[in-house]
Structure formats: C-alpha cells, structure tokens
Amino acid sequence: LILEADVVVSGYRPFVLKKYGFDRDGILELVSARNHGIIFAQVDTYGWHGPSMERPGYQPVSDACVGISHGFGKAMGLADGEPVTALFPTSDYSTGLAGVAAVLSALIQRAQVGGSYSIDLALNYY
C-alpha cells in the first residue's frame, strides 16, 4: 500500500515502527525509486524530543501536561484552580486540523516542485 500511497499517517509513538522499517526513514527509502515523493505525517502526544517522547499518551494526558486542565478548572471558578479534564477534545481535534492543513500544503508543494515531505505533529506541541 505504501508504494502506491501519496500520504502515510502514523499515530504510533516515536520509534515503534522503526523495527519493522516503517518509520520516516524506512518509508522514504521504500519509495525512493518511484517518480514522485510521499508525504509522511506522524502524530504523537509528547513529540520527538525530551524525556517523555517514548511514553504513550492521549488527549486528557496532554491537557494535564501542558496546563489546559488547570486553566479549564480555573475558568470554571473551582477552588484553588482545581484541574478538570476539558469536555471537548480541543487538542485532539486541533492537532488533527493542523495536520490536515500541513498535509494539503505538502501535497501542493510536491505537485509544484516534487520531493517527499515529513510532518511532525504532537498534542503537546499544539
């Protein structure tokens, strides 16, 4: 499937797919012989640098890490700014929307000048 794909999206933690050859470098090598590039987008909770980069996580964990839960509790007027998990998964949805915009931009760039493009997204980055 990858040999025919225009876009590959990975939602695994960094380095999980490397052992199978399906990390960014492996996929770029796999499609290097074809006449058009590929867009590789990867989404993670913590990103690709720092002490938490290999930890699993999801939207409520990200919200707690970056202070959104604290801000939500403060906005609700809770005593001592008690943290609360937001009801709407803003970081999930917004990271996804940023990813769509990045992939579309990369597809346009590939159509104009060629090449392959890599996109790194993380809930904590958003």
Side-chain angles (χ1 to χ4, degrees), residues 7-29:
V7 178
V8 173
V9 178
S10 171
Y12 288 95
R13 289 175 289 137
F15 314 114
V16 168
L17 294 179
K18 185 174 185 169
K19 61 186 168 189
Y20 303 111
F22 292 121
D23 61 337
R24 175 191 4 246
D25 294 337
I27 289 174
L28 292 176
E29 176 65 30

Side-chain angles (χ1 to χ4, degrees), residues 27-115:
I27 289 174
L28 292 176
E29 176 65 30
L30 187 64
V31 301
S32 63
R34 69 185 199 178
N35 63 356
H36 61 284
I38 195 162
I39 287 79
F40 179 76
Q42 55 185 358
V43 182
D44 181 50
T45 300
Y46 304 99
W48 289 266
H49 307 285
S52 298
M53 70 181 194
E54 293 188 35
R55 294 181 61 200
Y58 60 111
Q59 180 260 322
V61 173
S62 174
D63 286 355
C65 286
V66 299
I68 291 173
S69 299
H70 175 74
F72 197 75
K74 187 175 180 180
M76 292 178 64
L78 299 178
D80 300 323
E82 180 182 345
V84 173
T85 299
L87 298 175
F88 188 74
T90 305
S91 58
D92 260 352
Y93 289 175
S94 298
T95 302
L97 290 172
V100 168
V103 167
L104 291 174
S105 178
L107 285 168
I108 291 169
Q109 187 75 9
R110 185 185 75 168
Q112 292 175 344
V113 297

